[in-house]
Amino acid sequence: LNEFDRMGIPYGPTRERQEALEEAVAVVRGLWGPEPFAFEGAHYRSAPANVTPPVQDGGVPLVVAGSGRRTLGQ
């Protein structure tokens, strides 16, 4: 079984998983901002909130491995 099956999470098509990841990154970065952040997307939503940002300047580095056909924006 893959990790999606073990966690009971649906394993959607590649494009859907990439779009969900892009939204998740936007939510995390928004929540680390100085002002309360709200988000309404196709996969996730957040009520206005913010959390203490990471200690590192610029936030936590994010590296995503893939087949190279599509990459996330910066």
Side-chain angles (χ1 to χ4, degrees), residues 28-42:
V28 169
R29 288 183 173 163
L31 291 172
W32 283 339
E35 301 296 324
F37 175 81
F39 184 86
E40 186 76 34

Side-chain angles (χ1 to χ4, degrees), residues 29 32 53-62:
R29 288 183 173 163
W32 283 339
V55 176
Q56 298 97 318
D57 286 337
V60 175
L62 176 64

Side-chain angles (χ1 to χ4, degrees), residues 5-43:
D5 292 333
R6 289 192 303 266
M7 294 185 291
I9 299 172
Y11 189 77
T14 301
R15 178 159 302 279
E16 184 179 315
R17 294 190 323 269
Q18 288 174 331
E19 289 169 354
L21 175 60
E22 203 162 356
E23 283 189 18
V25 170
V27 169
V28 169
R29 288 183 173 163
L31 291 172
W32 283 339
E35 301 296 324
F37 175 81
F39 184 86
E40 186 76 34
H43 304 277

Side-chain angles (χ1 to χ4, degrees), residues 50-74:
N50 64 330
V51 296
T52 303
V55 176
Q56 298 97 318
D57 286 337
V60 175
L62 176 64
V63 177
V64 179
S67 62
R69 285 180 262 162
R70 180 171 180 237
T71 58
L72 296 174
Q74 299 257 341

